[in-house]
Amino acid sequence: MPGDKSISHRALMFGALATGTTRITGLLEAEDVINTARAVTALGAEAVKTGDAWHVKGRGVGGLKQPDGPLDFGNSGTGTRLMMGIVAAHDISVTMQGDASLSRRPMSRVLNPLRTMGLQTAEAKDTLPLTVKGSSSLVPIVYELPVASAQVKSAVLLAGLGAAGETTVVEREATRDHTERMLRFFGASVETREIEGAMHITVRGDAELTGRDVVVPGDPSSAAFLLAAALVVPGSDVTVEGVLVNPTRTGLYVTLREMGADIEFLNEREEGGEPIADIRARYSQLKGVQVPAARAPSMIDEYPVLAAIAGFAVGETRMEGLGELKVKESDRLAATAAGLIANGVVARADGDKLIVEGTGKVPGGGLVETHLDHRIAMAFLTMGLASDAPVGVDDTAMIATSFPEFRGLMEQLGASYV
Ligand code: S3P
């Protein structure tokens, strides 16, 4: 399985903030992550591949240099938002830009707390392109997340590494914790305390990180397409090896089991401070379920593929608390509902809910608008493996942002594309 996207971005960025060299194996070589490798290189922390490992020459917290030109993050919200936190703690001014999808996405969610700490922006707007100016004398803050977002949490903690004192993020709903785990692995002081049902995550400023060897586990959000395909194509039995099974990322697998999926975690082990397993899925007759809002952060990127196979289940699948889906690479709530309807599935988006009426069969035959969104393209191509008529998507180019191997792996499993 290609490497996890979230962990790949972080390995490059934290390597840039460390002293000494960081060696990364299993890095996801997809467009989003390559843009982050280019960005850290432009900031003076050269990231290069030698043999089968990537090496980042770290410059230490506060040591990044002014880049010669704008940094282009392509399609990646994670690359942009985490880098805003990093730039905040440096006396440099950086212009950030991205593609049409990224330029529509809200940056206020990271800019608001970072401005309180001392970040300045040249423009009054909160969308890319933007020029951000950091400071080596940031003010530490206590910040309660207004949305369940690991990107916002990470941006504030990364800025906190360079602030004088302790910076705390308060999180009411648990989001992916790769930043906390990996910062500790690099030697930063990160403390997590539960107070009255909320997590308080505190990072100590003036931090020193040390270059490390990082092994990137397989991406569960990409594995999801292969495993979902196995569940809906009769006779399938697929095992994906070495997949990250951090509990902040496995909500999809909890949901699939509730739907009656024959899915198991085998050979559970730990690698580089993260739990991993081989995941085996076999064709299963699925039933509709209710997916609670509280589960959304742990499967936020998996709703399109869940919805795409929910039509093969018998009964209603009701997914709640999906407000954040509207501000992903596309409005995924609307794009998913539209793709289902175009393929003869009875579905509707209602506020922040998505409801799919499963009949056990999907007619297919429709053309799905992907809106520059890789996961919309892959979700509907997965649905097309088991629908009565083939499913079309209007564009596949964006798949390369997260999972360039998608088509080849699907073909190895027996899919055909025309
Ligand atoms: C990510 C966090 C999630 C997720 C994104 C990657 C990360 O976004 O959707 O694909 O690596 O921190 P939010 O934290 O904004 O929900």
Side-chain angles (χ1 to χ4, degrees):
M1 200 60 215
D4 182 64
K5 184 148 69 83
S6 292
I7 293 181
S8 294
H9 282 296
R10 287 164 172 79
L12 290 165
M13 292 186 192
F14 300 0
L17 292 177
T19 51
T21 300
T22 287
R23 181 175 179 274
I24 311 166
T25 47
L27 187 86
L28 172 68
E29 292 177 1
E31 283 172 11
D32 279 7
V33 175
I34 297 300
N35 283 325
T36 291
R38 289 201 185 108
V40 299
T41 300
L43 290 162
E46 195 191 0
V48 282
K49 190 175 184 187
T50 1
D52 59 2
W54 282 76
H55 293 89
V56 187
K57 270 195 215 144
R59 294 181 66 100
V61 175
L64 296 177
K65 73 168 183 65
Q66 174 84 36
D68 294 333
L71 303 184
D72 194 331
F73 290 92
N75 195 241
S76 180
T78 307
T80 310
R81 294 186 177 127
L82 268 57
M83 193 58 90
M84 282 180 179
I86 289 176
V87 168
H90 288 78
D91 277 321
I92 56 176
S93 176
V94 176
T95 301
M96 298 184 167
Q97 62 190 39
D99 69 9
S101 152
L102 186 57
S103 303
R104 279 193 292 267
R105 297 179 65 186
M107 295 300 149
S108 47
R109 52 182 55 205
V110 281
L111 291 172
N112 290 342
L114 294 178
R115 282 184 180 127
T116 312
M117 296 177 83
L119 180 83
Q120 293 180 317
T121 48
E123 301 85 355
K125 64 189 176 78
D126 284 346
T127 50
L128 297 193
L130 270 178
T131 299
V132 293
K133 187 173 178 309
S135 158
S136 56
S137 49
L138 284 188
V139 181
I141 56 169
V142 176
Y143 188 66
E144 178 161 344
L145 294 178
V147 282
S149 166
Q151 295 179 354
V152 179
K153 169 175 67 177
S154 301
V156 175
L157 293 176
L158 289 169
L161 289 177
E166 291 187 339
T167 295
T168 298
V169 175
V170 180
E171 180 177 71
R172 299 222 161 259
E173 290 172 87
T175 65
R176 64 191 69 193
D177 61 357
H178 310 306
T179 295
E180 297 91 304
R181 285 176 188 249
M182 207 189 287
L183 280 181
R184 278 193 203 109
F185 182 59
F186 274 79
S189 157
V190 183
E191 277 175 26
T192 307
R193 258 165 294 147
E194 195 179 330
I195 304 173
E196 291 168 5
M199 293 311 282
H200 290 236
I201 305 142
T202 300
V203 69
R204 200 173 307 144
D206 295 326
E208 282 183 24
L209 274 55
T210 310
R212 291 291 198 168
D213 273 12
V214 180
V215 182
V216 182
D219 195 323
S221 302
S222 295
F225 299 107
L226 309 177
L227 296 164
L231 293 176
V232 296
V233 177
S236 300
D237 183 353
V238 172
T239 302
V240 184
E241 292 178 342
V243 183
L244 175 72
V245 290
N246 175 319
T248 61
R249 296 286 297 279
T250 48
L252 174 71
Y253 300 105
V254 174
T255 304
L256 290 173
R257 285 204 186 103
E258 290 175 0
M259 294 173 85
D262 181 350
I263 204 157
E264 22 174 13
F265 288 4
L266 307 168
N267 194 13
E268 289 188 58
R269 54 212 189 265
E270 200 165 292
E271 215 170 71
E274 291 277 5
I276 63 169
D278 305 331
I279 306 183
R280 180 178 188 181
R282 281 175 274 198
Y283 170 74
S284 308
Q285 182 52 66
L286 303 174
K287 63 177 192 313
V289 291
Q290 182 157 343
V291 189
R295 201 177 291 159
S298 67
M299 54 177 292
I300 194 68
D301 293 334
E302 283 69 74
Y303 284 101
V305 71
L306 173 64
I309 63 167
F312 298 106
V314 175
E316 180 181 280
T317 294
R318 192 182 176 84
M319 294 157 259
E320 299 184 343
L322 307 190
E324 278 296 295
L325 282 195
K326 297 179 187 174
V327 290
K328 294 295 176 188
E329 285 82 329
S330 68
D331 176 346
R332 285 188 178 156
L333 192 49
T336 303
L340 290 168
I341 292 162
N343 283 286
V345 177
V346 176
R348 66 182 190 283
D350 174 8
D352 66 356
K353 295 186 220 24
L354 178 61
I355 297 127
V356 181
E357 306 292 349
T359 59
K361 275 171 81 70
V362 171
L367 179 66
V368 176
E369 284 184 59
T370 54
H371 303 278
L372 295 175
D373 192 326
H374 55 129
R375 295 200 200 280
I376 297 296
M378 291 187 280
F380 284 101
L381 290 171
T382 302
M383 186 172 93
L385 296 176
S387 54
D388 296 341
V391 170
V393 297
D394 65 359
D395 188 11
T396 55
M398 300 315 286
I399 292 174
T401 61
S402 70
F403 194 9
E405 301 84 351
F406 174 79
R407 180 173 178 159
L409 284 170
M410 283 298 202
E411 283 173 339
Q412 277 179 43
L413 289 176
S416 64
Y417 295 82
V418 287

